[in-house]
């Protein structure tokens, strides 16, 4: 579907305050999308975007046994299309490998709740999707396993369907967290499959099975004629906003798995996801700084890197409406601002903590590295 032409720019001035939602807007430079680069905008994202919350009766069990830990799990999100409708442009999906299928089909949470005398919650998988091979999406196996979309490819299909219905949208960033490792503690949780190079090949293949090359922005696209991805990024070789509209960009969350994903793919040649790399490494383009500090984030943004940070975590700021971290991260220039409380999902506690951009835009001119000519338009 052809993209719609950009509308005439308005003369809105970027503000620094957060507030209620107005008509969503997107960033452009005075010369249009053709000069503004992908790393010169700023968008709101959601943390654990698939999170449907723990079912009511199991919630009672975990709250009784692990009250403090439960606080950090006490949130949930709207389905992905509704998040996009509200202006979210970065999502996070936690994936578990399930090569044969069925590994996570029978979580122990319901049995533990029943043993404690709690009634059964609704079946989390009435269609038997968890018995089929393929990557699954959830937060914590056996405990916090309910998702608004399942499996991974179904989540991606929702993204693609929304994208096709809104072909001029600001690019959508999809952060993928790979879950593995032996569980610790007194609970007997399912041991996840490890992520090997072959597992990552399968992950790339699942992504490409949903999104054709023309709908993706990959490391190869950014590297161009440069020897390394890092060189390309420092030289400002990110695509323009015009060429990025209607597309998606995949980002790998954990830094420790980077070497496994890179094996046989120097500087991410042929790969789909951008790794969470150390500045200066050959594969460095995307960097996480979830806890700041803001000054370091700003310095990395000025160099050309794409940064993801968090404005809040574990419901801590939301419970007391502490906006200090939120405001500092927005001002830092981090392009991806991840929250549990986007504008359509404010916190339920006093103060109703919420995160949105100045001027209530879908994507705004980056306060640190956007050109001075950058302005905003009311085009969605």
């Amino acid at each position: 579907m052809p993209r719609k032409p950009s509308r005439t720019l308005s003369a809105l001035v970027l503000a620094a305050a957060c507030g209620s939602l107005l008509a969503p807007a997107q960033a452009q430079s005075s010369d249009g999308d053709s000069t503004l680069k992908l790393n010169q905008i700023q968008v709101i994202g959601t943390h654990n975007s698939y999170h449907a919350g723990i079912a009511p009766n199991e919630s009672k069990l975990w709250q009784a046994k692990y009250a403090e830990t439960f606080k950090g799990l006490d949130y949930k999100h709207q389905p992905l299309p509704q998040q996009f409708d509200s202006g979210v442009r970065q999502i996070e999906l936690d994936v578990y490998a399930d090569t044969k299928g069925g590994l996570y089909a029978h979580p122990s949470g319901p049995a533990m709740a029943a043993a404690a005398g709690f009634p059964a919650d609704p079946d989390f998988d009435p269609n038997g999707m968890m018995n089929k091979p393929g990557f699954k999406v959830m937060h914590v196996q056996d405990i916090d396993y309910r998702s608004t979309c399942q499996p991974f490819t179904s989540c991606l299909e929702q993204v693609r369907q929304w994208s096709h219905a809104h072909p001029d949208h600001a690019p959508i960033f999809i952060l993928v967290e790979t879950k593995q490792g032996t569980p610790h503690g007194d609970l007997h949780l399912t041991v996840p499959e490890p992520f090997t190079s072959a597992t990552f090949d399968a992950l790339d293949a699942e992504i490409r099975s949903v999104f054709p090359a023309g709908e993706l922005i990959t490391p190869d696209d950014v590297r161009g004629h440069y020897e390394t991805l890092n060189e390309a990024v420092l030289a400002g070789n990110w695509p323009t906003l015009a060429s990025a509209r209607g597309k998606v960009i995949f980002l790998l969350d954990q830094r420790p798995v980077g070497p496994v994903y890179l094996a046989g793919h120097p500087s991410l040649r042929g790969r789909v996801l951008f790794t969470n790399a150390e500045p200066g490494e050959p594969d460095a383009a995307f960097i996480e700084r979830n806890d700041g500090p803001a000054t370091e984030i700003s310095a990395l943004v000025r160099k050309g890197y794409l940064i993801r940070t968090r404005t809040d975590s574990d419901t801590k700021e939301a419970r007391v409406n502490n906006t200090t971290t939120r405001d500092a991260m927005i001002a830092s220039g981090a392009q991806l601002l991840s929250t549990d409380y986007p504008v359509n999902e404010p916190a339920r506690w006093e103060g109703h903590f919420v995160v949105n951009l100045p001027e209530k835009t879908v994507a705004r001119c980056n306060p640190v590295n956007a050109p001075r000519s950058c302005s905003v338009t009311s085009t969605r």
Side-chain angles (χ1 to χ4, degrees), residues 250-327:
F250 284 85
L251 312 167
L252 189 59
D253 181 57
Q254 298 93 340
R255 182 161 292 164
V257 301
V260 181
Y261 190 67
L262 280 162
H265 300 268
S267 198
L268 293 172
R269 283 174 170 77
R271 282 301 198 187
V272 174
L273 296 98
F274 290 83
T275 46
N276 173 12
E278 289 281 2
E281 292 295 316
D283 57 316
F286 165 64
I287 299 169
E288 285 192 1
R289 286 292 184 269
N290 290 334
D291 301 315
T295 52
E296 182 179 346
I297 290 174
S298 297
L300 292 169
V301 168
R302 290 189 185 97
K303 289 182 177 180
Y305 295 112
L306 183 73
I307 309 298
R308 183 257 195 173
T309 193
R310 294 185 66 179
T311 59
D312 50 274
S313 60
D314 303 323
T315 76
K316 294 175 184 176
E317 292 85 356
R319 290 175 183 271
V320 295
N321 196 29
N322 182 344
T323 62
T324 301
T325 298
R326 179 197 73 182
D327 296 345

Side-chain angles (χ1 to χ4, degrees), residues 82-126:
Q82 290 179 243
Q83 293 184 49
F84 296 142
D85 286 342
S86 74
V88 167
R89 290 296 179 268
Q90 180 255 301
I91 60 172
E92 178 185 356
L93 301 175
D94 293 351
V95 297
Y96 288 75
D98 190 11
T99 305
K100 298 179 180 179
L103 184 59
Y104 307 103
H106 304 287
S108 58
M112 288 192 281
F118 293 104
D121 289 302
D123 187 355
F124 85 109
D125 184 31

Side-chain angles (χ1 to χ4, degrees), residues 76-203:
K76 60 183 179 180
H77 286 302
Q78 296 175 337
L80 299 181
Q82 290 179 243
Q83 293 184 49
F84 296 142
D85 286 342
S86 74
V88 167
R89 290 296 179 268
Q90 180 255 301
I91 60 172
E92 178 185 356
L93 301 175
D94 293 351
V95 297
Y96 288 75
D98 190 11
T99 305
K100 298 179 180 179
L103 184 59
Y104 307 103
H106 304 287
S108 58
M112 288 192 281
F118 293 104
D121 289 302
D123 187 355
F124 85 109
D125 184 31
N127 298 319
M129 184 64 66
M130 300 297 280
N131 288 311
K132 300 178 181 179
F135 293 93
K136 305 304 190 297
V137 176
M138 58 187 149
H139 189 214
V140 183
Q141 70 274 31
D142 295 297
I143 297 174
D144 191 8
Y145 51 85
R146 292 177 184 261
S147 174
T148 61
C149 54
Q150 195 71 265
F152 180 56
T153 51
S154 177
C155 299
L156 299 187
E157 288 286 0
Q158 290 187 19
V159 177
R160 188 166 189 253
Q161 289 170 12
W162 187 93
S163 177
H164 282 197
H166 304 81
D168 197 34
H169 67 77
I172 294 173
F173 301 85
I174 302 177
L175 184 68
V176 177
E177 180 175 349
T178 54
K179 293 296 190 84
Q180 60 181 323
T182 303
H184 300 288
D186 57 346
L187 294 174
H188 299 289
L189 305 181
T190 303
V191 179
E193 289 184 26
F195 273 74
T196 64
S197 291
T199 312
F200 278 122
D201 290 343
L203 183 65

